[in-house]
C-alpha cells in the first residue's frame, strides 16, 4: 500500500489568506501553471514532490509545516488479476 499525498484544502486556503496570495500569484511564485494548483485543490489530485517543495518555499513554510499542508492517504491497489476467469460469451459447458 502506497500513500497518496494530497493538499489539505482548509490549511491551503488559510495559508493563502495569511500570505495575502491568490492562486494565480502563488502559481507565479512557484513557476507552475495555475491549473496545477486548481487540480490539487478541486480534484484532490496528487502533486509531485517538486511541486510540493515549490509550494512550501513560496508560502515560506518549513519542514515541520508539511503535515499541516498535506494529507497522507493510504491507497489500496486494484486486484492483481488473479480473479476467477469468466467463460466467454456463447460458451456452453459439456456435461
Amino acid at each position: 500500500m502506497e500513500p497518496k499525498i494530497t493538499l489539505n484544502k482548509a490549511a491551503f486556503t488559510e495559508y493563502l489568506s495569511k500570505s495575502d496570495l491568490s492562486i494565480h500569484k502563488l502559481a507565479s511564485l512557484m513557476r507552475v501553471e495555475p491549473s496545477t494548483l486548481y487540480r490539487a485543490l478541486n480534484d484532490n489530485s496528487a502533486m509531485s514532490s517538486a511541486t510540493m517543495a515549490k509550494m512550501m518555499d513560496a508560502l515560506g513554510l518549513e519542514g515541520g509545516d508539511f503535515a499541516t499542508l498535506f494529507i497522507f492517504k493510504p491507497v489500496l491497489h486494484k486486484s492483481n488479476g488473479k480473479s476467477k476467469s469468466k467463460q466467454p460469451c456463447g460458451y456452453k459447458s459439456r456435461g
Side-chain angles (χ1 to χ4, degrees):
M1 186 179 336
E2 297 175 23
K4 176 181 177 183
I5 302 172
T6 58
L7 190 61
N8 180 337
K9 293 177 185 182
F12 177 71
T13 54
E14 185 177 328
Y15 282 125
L16 283 179
S17 178
K18 283 181 183 178
S19 303
D20 197 29
L21 291 171
S22 67
I23 289 181
H24 285 265
K25 178 65 177 170
L26 178 62
S28 176
L29 292 170
M30 293 172 57
R31 296 189 174 154
V32 299
E33 292 295 322
S35 61
T36 300
L37 300 181
Y38 281 114
R39 271 194 309 275
L41 186 60
N42 297 326
D43 299 338
N44 242 0
S45 298
M47 286 191 284
S48 71
S49 57
T51 302
M52 288 183 232
K54 288 178 183 180
M55 182 179 288
M56 296 282 293
D57 187 49
L59 291 172
L61 302 176
E62 297 188 12
D65 299 312
F66 187 87
T68 303
L69 187 57
F70 298 100
I71 301 170
F72 293 84
K73 294 182 179 181
V75 175
L76 296 174
H77 295 283
K78 292 183 179 180
S79 171
N80 62 5
K82 294 184 179 181
S83 60
K84 293 181 180 179
S85 62
K86 295 180 180 178
Q87 300 298 334
C89 286
Y91 176 82
K92 294 183 182 175
S93 123
R94 295 182 187 185

